Amino acid sequence: MHMQRDNEGIRLPKLLGLAVAGATLLAGMVVLPATQASAADAYGFAAEDDFVAGDLDTAKVPQLTVTKYLSLNDGYAPTGSANDAVQLNSNHDLAPAKDILFNVREVQPADGKSLADINANEPTSYTYKNNTIYAGVTNGQGVINDWYQGDTSGKPTDTKLTFPAGPNHYYILSENTAGSYAFDPSNPNGIDQTKYKTAVNSFFGLPYATNGSDAQQTRGFIYHLHLYPKNVNAQSFAKTVQSVKDADGNVKDQTTATAGDTVTYKLSQKIYNEGTAASNDGKLDVKELKGQGTDVRLADRMSSSLRGNPATIKADIRDSNGNKLVDLAKTDDYTQDLATNANPARLNDTSKKMFADAPSDDVTYWVFDFFTTAGASKVQTNAATSVMELEVTYDALVTGNGDSTGTGGVVNDAASDFSENKGSDGKGKDPVPSHTNVTNAALAFGSVQSKKLGYPALPDTEYRLVKDADSTDKYLASDGKFYGSKDTVPSNVQVYKATANKKGLVVFAALPIFGTGESKAADKTVQNTSWMLVETKTPQGWRNPGIPFGKVTYGDVGMTEEGIVQKYGRNATLQPNYDALNFGNFDAPVGEIGTETKLMFNNVAVSKYLAHYKTTDGDSPLALPLTGGRGILLLLVVGALIMGGALYARNRRNNAVRA
């Protein structure tokens, strides 16, 4: 199974600070303030923290878990209790960061300094105590539970490590951006490093000496420390997934999508409220709002795999902590255009577009223009913090119509342009993009013409999935069942199809691999699929292959949705075993596809191409020259004439014999 994921820019809520100052060191250990809790909860800590009151247990081996989330906001220190997971998981603006490498080194004060002088971000304040490098890489949940011996570059080897027991062990946790696969150019789901800030270092003791939050401030040690390093995505605009609901309206535990589900999205644009508003600094300040409908343009492009619901649109202004400051009303405070499939223009240069041209007309653009005079006045009057968020939320149905843009399955692209989106020269800069996806199962291949024509693209071919070769007129739907043209399809069910875009790319998205329909599993595990592919529409003048192709089958059978997300990330695109999808005589070898025709699906090269033949071609694997009815009619007419001539000749011979 292949996987892909797109990164999301997000915003971290105000968390409790981590006190690491040496002035509060007791018993040679760094003291960590407790998160909000009560004595009934084991002195205010979660059970996962393994807090034990009393003296240090020198035989107890400590553990370290690191969780990395991405955020739009600066200024948040790392925290140190598993209780924080409750706050973080409830904040839907957060997304775990996968494939980030962290290193941990044991340290001691530099010459002439004490533990109280150690600053994790000042290398001159400490030295390394030994040569051991602990290395861990975040999984799809952004978590590191296991640590390995790092090589000289800090990358993990196969040797698993544990942390030593006993007192006086202090560490620096640092993010190894250079060694992280998340930023490797070959990673199709990598993080855009130009919009990313590396997490600041953390200094801590392990085990961790601290006080409980009970009335007695009970003294003890944390033996399983949970760290949430400061994380920042530095862009001014982002699109995030707030939730995914199934066809029955239930919120899913994981961000996996099947056709028929509903995704709630949020667009977030930063607006500043600083002392002075400098021109051409790329930061839109409230003082710069003119209220003429050209302060901010937010545009969202949805592929055919998504259909937005206009009734769910909401817009508001919030402070940096997520508190609502202003409700914004359509028409009164902003305008919107939801009825266009035309690429919208930029604000600062109307001769250019917000997006690169889509390879399909089956896309929908939603455009929001802020602010009217009244809207600008509302924002300026209620500006309460130095950084605010202009937010737009809405729901979108996951359809069965595939991904017409061919960029990741259940995916859409948003962009922001604003009056201050300019360089120091005063010229407009490109819109700020944001690309979102949710974990979904996809199938991607190319639709091309025949070899003698050089395998150019053949757009507009349509495909569906069937159960087997005996039921090629019953098509796969989101409930895992198959429906024919005369069958009644339930209102909350989507029937899958995929149409080749202008580049010839065919993509099925949000396929039901997680135990849906008759094969539904209690734990929503990956099912053992074996669908077949059929071509249901072919452009005029081209032959439909007329046979089913197989098979479409996925790996990780039996793995739960949670396990899939942890393994691949919560924005992964799962793809089948393409070796099992056999096009036979209609296969166009990928090595013979020309550079101008070769396709990419979410930054990965497409490996399967289905070749087509014209109705006039005599070398088609299926050589019946059917041309939509007229061709067979001509054959019948010619056949009738031949047979008529033969009968006429035989009758003449018979008559001659009788004579």
PDB file of all heavy atoms in Angstrom, residues 597-630:
ATOM      1  N   THR A 597       3.275  13.197 -21.457  1.00  0.00           N
ATOM      2  CA  THR A 597       2.046  12.506 -21.068  1.00  0.00           C
ATOM      3  C   THR A 597       2.133  11.890 -19.681  1.00  0.00           C
ATOM      4  O   THR A 597       1.109  11.636 -19.053  1.00  0.00           O
ATOM      5  CB  THR A 597       1.707  11.398 -22.089  1.00  0.00           C
ATOM      6  OG1 THR A 597       1.703  11.963 -23.401  1.00  0.00           O
ATOM      7  CG2 THR A 597       0.349  10.783 -21.828  1.00  0.00           C
ATOM      8  N   LYS A 598       3.331  11.638 -19.198  1.00  0.00           N
ATOM      9  CA  LYS A 598       3.478  10.986 -17.890  1.00  0.00           C
ATOM     10  C   LYS A 598       2.744  11.782 -16.816  1.00  0.00           C
ATOM     11  O   LYS A 598       2.789  13.007 -16.786  1.00  0.00           O
ATOM     12  CB  LYS A 598       4.953  10.841 -17.533  1.00  0.00           C
ATOM     13  CG  LYS A 598       5.617   9.678 -18.251  1.00  0.00           C
ATOM     14  CD  LYS A 598       7.039   9.439 -17.765  1.00  0.00           C
ATOM     15  CE  LYS A 598       7.637   8.210 -18.448  1.00  0.00           C
ATOM     16  NZ  LYS A 598       9.031   7.963 -18.036  1.00  0.00           N
ATOM     17  N   LEU A 599       2.098  11.039 -15.933  1.00  0.00           N
ATOM     18  CA  LEU A 599       1.223  11.637 -14.944  1.00  0.00           C
ATOM     19  C   LEU A 599       1.774  11.496 -13.535  1.00  0.00           C
ATOM     20  O   LEU A 599       2.532  10.568 -13.235  1.00  0.00           O
ATOM     21  CB  LEU A 599      -0.158  10.980 -15.016  1.00  0.00           C
ATOM     22  CG  LEU A 599      -0.910  11.128 -16.352  1.00  0.00           C
ATOM     23  CD1 LEU A 599      -2.122  10.209 -16.379  1.00  0.00           C
ATOM     24  CD2 LEU A 599      -1.327  12.572 -16.563  1.00  0.00           C
ATOM     25  N   MET A 600       1.346  12.419 -12.688  1.00  0.00           N
ATOM     26  CA  MET A 600       1.649  12.365 -11.260  1.00  0.00           C
ATOM     27  C   MET A 600       0.325  12.379 -10.504  1.00  0.00           C
ATOM     28  O   MET A 600      -0.619  13.069 -10.894  1.00  0.00           O
ATOM     29  CB  MET A 600       2.498  13.555 -10.829  1.00  0.00           C
ATOM     30  CG  MET A 600       3.815  13.695 -11.570  1.00  0.00           C
ATOM     31  SD  MET A 600       5.049  12.473 -11.086  1.00  0.00           S
ATOM     32  CE  MET A 600       5.499  13.079  -9.460  1.00  0.00           C
ATOM     33  N   PHE A 601       0.260  11.617  -9.450  1.00  0.00           N
ATOM     34  CA  PHE A 601      -0.892  11.675  -8.553  1.00  0.00           C
ATOM     35  C   PHE A 601      -0.382  12.010  -7.164  1.00  0.00           C
ATOM     36  O   PHE A 601       0.324  11.214  -6.548  1.00  0.00           O
ATOM     37  CB  PHE A 601      -1.657  10.355  -8.542  1.00  0.00           C
ATOM     38  CG  PHE A 601      -2.775  10.312  -7.532  1.00  0.00           C
ATOM     39  CD1 PHE A 601      -3.757  11.284  -7.527  1.00  0.00           C
ATOM     40  CD2 PHE A 601      -2.838   9.306  -6.585  1.00  0.00           C
ATOM     41  CE1 PHE A 601      -4.784  11.261  -6.603  1.00  0.00           C
ATOM     42  CE2 PHE A 601      -3.860   9.263  -5.656  1.00  0.00           C
ATOM     43  CZ  PHE A 601      -4.841  10.245  -5.666  1.00  0.00           C
ATOM     44  N   ASN A 602      -0.708  13.201  -6.718  1.00  0.00           N
ATOM     45  CA  ASN A 602      -0.241  13.681  -5.420  1.00  0.00           C
ATOM     46  C   ASN A 602       1.270  13.515  -5.283  1.00  0.00           C
ATOM     47  O   ASN A 602       1.779  12.978  -4.300  1.00  0.00           O
ATOM     48  CB  ASN A 602      -0.971  12.968  -4.287  1.00  0.00           C
ATOM     49  CG  ASN A 602      -0.897  13.759  -2.994  1.00  0.00           C
ATOM     50  OD1 ASN A 602      -0.718  14.974  -3.015  1.00  0.00           O
ATOM     51  ND2 ASN A 602      -1.023  13.076  -1.872  1.00  0.00           N
ATOM     52  N   ASN A 603       1.986  13.986  -6.296  1.00  0.00           N
ATOM     53  CA  ASN A 603       3.448  14.041  -6.313  1.00  0.00           C
ATOM     54  C   ASN A 603       4.130  12.686  -6.477  1.00  0.00           C
ATOM     55  O   ASN A 603       5.344  12.586  -6.294  1.00  0.00           O
ATOM     56  CB  ASN A 603       3.987  14.729  -5.049  1.00  0.00           C
ATOM     57  CG  ASN A 603       3.468  16.142  -4.907  1.00  0.00           C
ATOM     58  OD1 ASN A 603       3.408  16.877  -5.886  1.00  0.00           O
ATOM     59  ND2 ASN A 603       3.082  16.524  -3.701  1.00  0.00           N
ATOM     60  N   VAL A 604       3.377  11.651  -6.817  1.00  0.00           N
ATOM     61  CA  VAL A 604       3.962  10.332  -7.055  1.00  0.00           C
ATOM     62  C   VAL A 604       3.642   9.911  -8.489  1.00  0.00           C
ATOM     63  O   VAL A 604       2.520  10.103  -8.965  1.00  0.00           O
ATOM     64  CB  VAL A 604       3.412   9.289  -6.063  1.00  0.00           C
ATOM     65  CG1 VAL A 604       3.900   7.896  -6.423  1.00  0.00           C
ATOM     66  CG2 VAL A 604       3.829   9.642  -4.641  1.00  0.00           C
ATOM     67  N   ALA A 605       4.620   9.338  -9.178  1.00  0.00           N
ATOM     68  CA  ALA A 605       4.423   8.944 -10.571  1.00  0.00           C
ATOM     69  C   ALA A 605       3.363   7.855 -10.690  1.00  0.00           C
ATOM     70  O   ALA A 605       3.354   6.881  -9.929  1.00  0.00           O
ATOM     71  CB  ALA A 605       5.746   8.462 -11.170  1.00  0.00           C
ATOM     72  N   VAL A 606       2.460   8.010 -11.643  1.00  0.00           N
ATOM     73  CA  VAL A 606       1.440   7.005 -11.926  1.00  0.00           C
ATOM     74  C   VAL A 606       2.094   5.812 -12.621  1.00  0.00           C
ATOM     75  O   VAL A 606       2.921   5.978 -13.527  1.00  0.00           O
ATOM     76  CB  VAL A 606       0.331   7.613 -12.808  1.00  0.00           C
ATOM     77  CG1 VAL A 606      -0.619   6.538 -13.324  1.00  0.00           C
ATOM     78  CG2 VAL A 606      -0.431   8.675 -12.020  1.00  0.00           C
ATOM     79  N   SER A 607       1.715   4.614 -12.213  1.00  0.00           N
ATOM     80  CA  SER A 607       2.391   3.410 -12.712  1.00  0.00           C
ATOM     81  C   SER A 607       1.558   2.593 -13.699  1.00  0.00           C
ATOM     82  O   SER A 607       2.059   1.637 -14.283  1.00  0.00           O
ATOM     83  CB  SER A 607       2.787   2.506 -11.539  1.00  0.00           C
ATOM     84  OG  SER A 607       1.635   2.078 -10.820  1.00  0.00           O
ATOM     85  N   LYS A 608       0.273   2.937 -13.884  1.00  0.00           N
ATOM     86  CA  LYS A 608      -0.601   2.159 -14.773  1.00  0.00           C
ATOM     87  C   LYS A 608      -1.258   3.076 -15.804  1.00  0.00           C
ATOM     88  O   LYS A 608      -1.763   4.151 -15.464  1.00  0.00           O
ATOM     89  CB  LYS A 608      -1.699   1.445 -13.978  1.00  0.00           C
ATOM     90  CG  LYS A 608      -1.192   0.491 -12.919  1.00  0.00           C
ATOM     91  CD  LYS A 608      -0.524  -0.741 -13.507  1.00  0.00           C
ATOM     92  CE  LYS A 608      -1.489  -1.645 -14.218  1.00  0.00           C
ATOM     93  NZ  LYS A 608      -0.870  -2.916 -14.625  1.00  0.00           N
ATOM     94  N   TYR A 609      -1.261   2.621 -17.063  1.00  0.00           N
ATOM     95  CA  TYR A 609      -1.894   3.366 -18.147  1.00  0.00           C
ATOM     96  C   TYR A 609      -2.726   2.399 -18.984  1.00  0.00           C
ATOM     97  O   TYR A 609      -2.252   1.321 -19.367  1.00  0.00           O
ATOM     98  CB  TYR A 609      -0.846   4.038 -19.034  1.00  0.00           C
ATOM     99  CG  TYR A 609      -0.102   5.169 -18.352  1.00  0.00           C
ATOM    100  CD1 TYR A 609       0.989   4.904 -17.531  1.00  0.00           C
ATOM    101  CD2 TYR A 609      -0.490   6.494 -18.530  1.00  0.00           C
ATOM    102  CE1 TYR A 609       1.678   5.931 -16.894  1.00  0.00           C
ATOM    103  CE2 TYR A 609       0.189   7.533 -17.907  1.00  0.00           C
ATOM    104  CZ  TYR A 609       1.268   7.246 -17.096  1.00  0.00           C
ATOM    105  OH  TYR A 609       1.949   8.267 -16.467  1.00  0.00           O
ATOM    106  N   LEU A 610      -3.953   2.788 -19.292  1.00  0.00           N
ATOM    107  CA  LEU A 610      -4.871   1.972 -20.074  1.00  0.00           C
ATOM    108  C   LEU A 610      -4.959   2.543 -21.492  1.00  0.00           C
ATOM    109  O   LEU A 610      -5.372   3.686 -21.701  1.00  0.00           O
ATOM    110  CB  LEU A 610      -6.258   1.957 -19.428  1.00  0.00           C
ATOM    111  CG  LEU A 610      -7.340   1.140 -20.115  1.00  0.00           C
ATOM    112  CD1 LEU A 610      -6.963  -0.327 -20.156  1.00  0.00           C
ATOM    113  CD2 LEU A 610      -8.678   1.319 -19.403  1.00  0.00           C
ATOM    114  N   ALA A 611      -4.549   1.742 -22.479  1.00  0.00           N
ATOM    115  CA  ALA A 611      -4.511   2.194 -23.867  1.00  0.00           C
ATOM    116  C   ALA A 611      -5.865   1.994 -24.552  1.00  0.00           C
ATOM    117  O   ALA A 611      -6.617   1.076 -24.223  1.00  0.00           O
ATOM    118  CB  ALA A 611      -3.428   1.444 -24.631  1.00  0.00           C
ATOM    119  N   HIS A 612      -6.162   2.878 -25.519  1.00  0.00           N
ATOM    120  CA  HIS A 612      -7.418   2.825 -26.264  1.00  0.00           C
ATOM    121  C   HIS A 612      -7.144   2.845 -27.768  1.00  0.00           C
ATOM    122  O   HIS A 612      -6.100   3.322 -28.213  1.00  0.00           O
ATOM    123  CB  HIS A 612      -8.315   4.014 -25.893  1.00  0.00           C
ATOM    124  CG  HIS A 612      -8.805   3.972 -24.491  1.00  0.00           C
ATOM    125  ND1 HIS A 612      -8.025   4.344 -23.413  1.00  0.00           N
ATOM    126  CD2 HIS A 612     -10.010   3.592 -23.983  1.00  0.00           C
ATOM    127  CE1 HIS A 612      -8.727   4.199 -22.298  1.00  0.00           C
ATOM    128  NE2 HIS A 612      -9.925   3.745 -22.615  1.00  0.00           N
ATOM    129  N   TYR A 613      -8.133   2.353 -28.517  1.00  0.00           N
ATOM    130  CA  TYR A 613      -8.002   2.250 -29.966  1.00  0.00           C
ATOM    131  C   TYR A 613      -9.188   2.935 -30.636  1.00  0.00           C
ATOM    132  O   TYR A 613     -10.320   2.894 -30.141  1.00  0.00           O
ATOM    133  CB  TYR A 613      -7.935   0.779 -30.385  1.00  0.00           C
ATOM    134  CG  TYR A 613      -6.723   0.070 -29.842  1.00  0.00           C
ATOM    135  CD1 TYR A 613      -6.711  -0.407 -28.532  1.00  0.00           C
ATOM    136  CD2 TYR A 613      -5.591  -0.102 -30.618  1.00  0.00           C
ATOM    137  CE1 TYR A 613      -5.591  -1.041 -28.010  1.00  0.00           C
ATOM    138  CE2 TYR A 613      -4.470  -0.740 -30.119  1.00  0.00           C
ATOM    139  CZ  TYR A 613      -4.477  -1.202 -28.801  1.00  0.00           C
ATOM    140  OH  TYR A 613      -3.360  -1.833 -28.286  1.00  0.00           O
ATOM    141  N   LYS A 614      -8.921   3.535 -31.783  1.00  0.00           N
ATOM    142  CA  LYS A 614      -9.994   4.149 -32.554  1.00  0.00           C
ATOM    143  C   LYS A 614     -10.896   3.075 -33.155  1.00  0.00           C
ATOM    144  O   LYS A 614     -10.481   1.926 -33.352  1.00  0.00           O
ATOM    145  CB  LYS A 614      -9.416   5.027 -33.665  1.00  0.00           C
ATOM    146  CG  LYS A 614      -8.753   6.304 -33.157  1.00  0.00           C
ATOM    147  CD  LYS A 614      -8.339   7.197 -34.318  1.00  0.00           C
ATOM    148  CE  LYS A 614      -7.796   8.527 -33.810  1.00  0.00           C
ATOM    149  NZ  LYS A 614      -7.424   9.442 -34.926  1.00  0.00           N
ATOM    150  N   THR A 615     -12.118   3.478 -33.470  1.00  0.00           N
ATOM    151  CA  THR A 615     -13.055   2.513 -34.055  1.00  0.00           C
ATOM    152  C   THR A 615     -12.603   2.055 -35.432  1.00  0.00           C
ATOM    153  O   THR A 615     -13.040   1.010 -35.932  1.00  0.00           O
ATOM    154  CB  THR A 615     -14.453   3.147 -34.168  1.00  0.00           C
ATOM    155  OG1 THR A 615     -14.357   4.375 -34.908  1.00  0.00           O
ATOM    156  CG2 THR A 615     -15.035   3.427 -32.795  1.00  0.00           C
ATOM    157  N   THR A 616     -11.727   2.829 -36.065  1.00  0.00           N
ATOM    158  CA  THR A 616     -11.231   2.460 -37.399  1.00  0.00           C
ATOM    159  C   THR A 616      -9.959   1.635 -37.356  1.00  0.00           C
ATOM    160  O   THR A 616      -9.468   1.187 -38.399  1.00  0.00           O
ATOM    161  CB  THR A 616     -10.980   3.735 -38.216  1.00  0.00           C
ATOM    162  OG1 THR A 616     -10.080   4.593 -37.487  1.00  0.00           O
ATOM    163  CG2 THR A 616     -12.279   4.476 -38.481  1.00  0.00           C
ATOM    164  N   ASP A 617      -9.416   1.444 -36.153  1.00  0.00           N
ATOM    165  CA  ASP A 617      -8.174   0.679 -36.023  1.00  0.00           C
ATOM    166  C   ASP A 617      -8.464  -0.813 -36.185  1.00  0.00           C
ATOM    167  O   ASP A 617      -9.414  -1.339 -35.601  1.00  0.00           O
ATOM    168  CB  ASP A 617      -7.516   0.921 -34.668  1.00  0.00           C
ATOM    169  CG  ASP A 617      -6.903   2.308 -34.565  1.00  0.00           C
ATOM    170  OD1 ASP A 617      -6.692   2.928 -35.621  1.00  0.00           O
ATOM    171  OD2 ASP A 617      -6.638   2.764 -33.439  1.00  0.00           O
ATOM    172  N   GLY A 618      -7.590  -1.483 -36.917  1.00  0.00           N
ATOM    173  CA  GLY A 618      -7.744  -2.917 -37.083  1.00  0.00           C
ATOM    174  C   GLY A 618      -6.873  -3.726 -36.153  1.00  0.00           C
ATOM    175  O   GLY A 618      -6.934  -4.952 -36.161  1.00  0.00           O
ATOM    176  N   ASP A 619      -6.045  -3.032 -35.354  1.00  0.00           N
ATOM    177  CA  ASP A 619      -5.120  -3.756 -34.481  1.00  0.00           C
ATOM    178  C   ASP A 619      -5.580  -3.779 -33.033  1.00  0.00           C
ATOM    179  O   ASP A 619      -4.807  -4.094 -32.134  1.00  0.00           O
ATOM    180  CB  ASP A 619      -3.718  -3.141 -34.573  1.00  0.00           C
ATOM    181  CG  ASP A 619      -3.700  -1.672 -34.155  1.00  0.00           C
ATOM    182  OD1 ASP A 619      -4.791  -1.052 -34.101  1.00  0.00           O
ATOM    183  OD2 ASP A 619      -2.592  -1.156 -33.882  1.00  0.00           O
ATOM    184  N   SER A 620      -6.830  -3.435 -32.786  1.00  0.00           N
ATOM    185  CA  SER A 620      -7.337  -3.460 -31.420  1.00  0.00           C
ATOM    186  C   SER A 620      -7.388  -4.890 -30.904  1.00  0.00           C
ATOM    187  O   SER A 620      -7.699  -5.819 -31.659  1.00  0.00           O
ATOM    188  CB  SER A 620      -8.741  -2.859 -31.367  1.00  0.00           C
ATOM    189  OG  SER A 620      -9.338  -3.096 -30.107  1.00  0.00           O
ATOM    190  N   PRO A 621      -7.082  -5.120 -29.624  1.00  0.00           N
ATOM    191  CA  PRO A 621      -7.193  -6.477 -29.060  1.00  0.00           C
ATOM    192  C   PRO A 621      -8.591  -7.054 -29.234  1.00  0.00           C
ATOM    193  O   PRO A 621      -8.751  -8.269 -29.346  1.00  0.00           O
ATOM    194  CB  PRO A 621      -6.857  -6.260 -27.581  1.00  0.00           C
ATOM    195  CG  PRO A 621      -5.958  -5.066 -27.582  1.00  0.00           C
ATOM    196  CD  PRO A 621      -6.499  -4.168 -28.653  1.00  0.00           C
ATOM    197  N   LEU A 622      -9.617  -6.195 -29.215  1.00  0.00           N
ATOM    198  CA  LEU A 622     -10.972  -6.615 -29.568  1.00  0.00           C
ATOM    199  C   LEU A 622     -11.273  -5.951 -30.906  1.00  0.00           C
ATOM    200  O   LEU A 622     -11.548  -4.756 -30.971  1.00  0.00           O
ATOM    201  CB  LEU A 622     -11.985  -6.173 -28.499  1.00  0.00           C
ATOM    202  CG  LEU A 622     -11.837  -6.867 -27.146  1.00  0.00           C
ATOM    203  CD1 LEU A 622     -12.884  -6.364 -26.171  1.00  0.00           C
ATOM    204  CD2 LEU A 622     -11.955  -8.368 -27.299  1.00  0.00           C
ATOM    205  N   ALA A 623     -11.220  -6.711 -32.007  1.00  0.00           N
ATOM    206  CA  ALA A 623     -11.165  -6.122 -33.343  1.00  0.00           C
ATOM    207  C   ALA A 623     -12.514  -5.933 -34.011  1.00  0.00           C
ATOM    208  O   ALA A 623     -12.580  -5.706 -35.206  1.00  0.00           O
ATOM    209  CB  ALA A 623     -10.263  -6.970 -34.237  1.00  0.00           C
ATOM    210  N   LEU A 624     -13.627  -6.068 -33.267  1.00  0.00           N
ATOM    211  CA  LEU A 624     -14.918  -5.835 -33.900  1.00  0.00           C
ATOM    212  C   LEU A 624     -15.064  -4.345 -34.171  1.00  0.00           C
ATOM    213  O   LEU A 624     -15.072  -3.545 -33.243  1.00  0.00           O
ATOM    214  CB  LEU A 624     -16.051  -6.315 -32.982  1.00  0.00           C
ATOM    215  CG  LEU A 624     -16.070  -7.804 -32.671  1.00  0.00           C
ATOM    216  CD1 LEU A 624     -17.195  -8.124 -31.705  1.00  0.00           C
ATOM    217  CD2 LEU A 624     -16.203  -8.611 -33.952  1.00  0.00           C
ATOM    218  N   PRO A 625     -15.200  -3.942 -35.435  1.00  0.00           N
ATOM    219  CA  PRO A 625     -15.241  -2.518 -35.750  1.00  0.00           C
ATOM    220  C   PRO A 625     -16.617  -1.914 -35.502  1.00  0.00           C
ATOM    221  O   PRO A 625     -17.305  -1.467 -36.422  1.00  0.00           O
ATOM    222  CB  PRO A 625     -14.867  -2.483 -37.230  1.00  0.00           C
ATOM    223  CG  PRO A 625     -15.386  -3.770 -37.769  1.00  0.00           C
ATOM    224  CD  PRO A 625     -15.222  -4.772 -36.662  1.00  0.00           C
ATOM    225  N   LEU A 626     -17.062  -1.930 -34.235  1.00  0.00           N
ATOM    226  CA  LEU A 626     -18.363  -1.375 -33.887  1.00  0.00           C
ATOM    227  C   LEU A 626     -18.240   0.138 -33.775  1.00  0.00           C
ATOM    228  O   LEU A 626     -17.363   0.641 -33.087  1.00  0.00           O
ATOM    229  CB  LEU A 626     -18.861  -1.963 -32.560  1.00  0.00           C
ATOM    230  CG  LEU A 626     -18.879  -3.492 -32.492  1.00  0.00           C
ATOM    231  CD1 LEU A 626     -19.434  -3.937 -31.146  1.00  0.00           C
ATOM    232  CD2 LEU A 626     -19.699  -4.077 -33.622  1.00  0.00           C
ATOM    233  N   THR A 627     -19.140   0.874 -34.407  1.00  0.00           N
ATOM    234  CA  THR A 627     -19.044   2.332 -34.386  1.00  0.00           C
ATOM    235  C   THR A 627     -20.342   2.947 -33.899  1.00  0.00           C
ATOM    236  O   THR A 627     -20.851   3.897 -34.463  1.00  0.00           O
ATOM    237  CB  THR A 627     -18.710   2.870 -35.784  1.00  0.00           C
ATOM    238  OG1 THR A 627     -19.733   2.427 -36.691  1.00  0.00           O
ATOM    239  CG2 THR A 627     -17.369   2.386 -36.251  1.00  0.00           C
ATOM    240  N   GLY A 628     -20.908   2.363 -32.880  1.00  0.00           N
ATOM    241  CA  GLY A 628     -22.083   2.975 -32.288  1.00  0.00           C
ATOM    242  C   GLY A 628     -23.377   2.628 -32.992  1.00  0.00           C
ATOM    243  O   GLY A 628     -24.365   3.317 -32.859  1.00  0.00           O
ATOM    244  N   GLY A 629     -23.437   1.570 -33.823  1.00  0.00           N
ATOM    245  CA  GLY A 629     -24.676   1.137 -34.455  1.00  0.00           C
ATOM    246  C   GLY A 629     -24.600   1.164 -35.967  1.00  0.00           C
ATOM    247  O   GLY A 629     -24.988   0.231 -36.653  1.00  0.00           O
ATOM    248  N   ARG A 630     -24.096   2.240 -36.519  1.00  0.00           N
ATOM    249  CA  ARG A 630     -24.042   2.353 -37.971  1.00  0.00           C
ATOM    250  C   ARG A 630     -23.079   1.331 -38.575  1.00  0.00           C
ATOM    251  O   ARG A 630     -23.329   0.752 -39.630  1.00  0.00           O
ATOM    252  CB  ARG A 630     -23.632   3.763 -38.355  1.00  0.00           C
ATOM    253  CG  ARG A 630     -23.684   3.985 -39.865  1.00  0.00           C
ATOM    254  CD  ARG A 630     -23.216   5.374 -40.226  1.00  0.00           C
ATOM    255  NE  ARG A 630     -23.191   5.544 -41.669  1.00  0.00           N
ATOM    256  CZ  ARG A 630     -22.614   6.556 -42.283  1.00  0.00           C
ATOM    257  NH1 ARG A 630     -22.019   7.488 -41.566  1.00  0.00           N
ATOM    258  NH2 ARG A 630     -22.631   6.650 -43.590  1.00  0.00           N
TER     259      ARG A 630
END
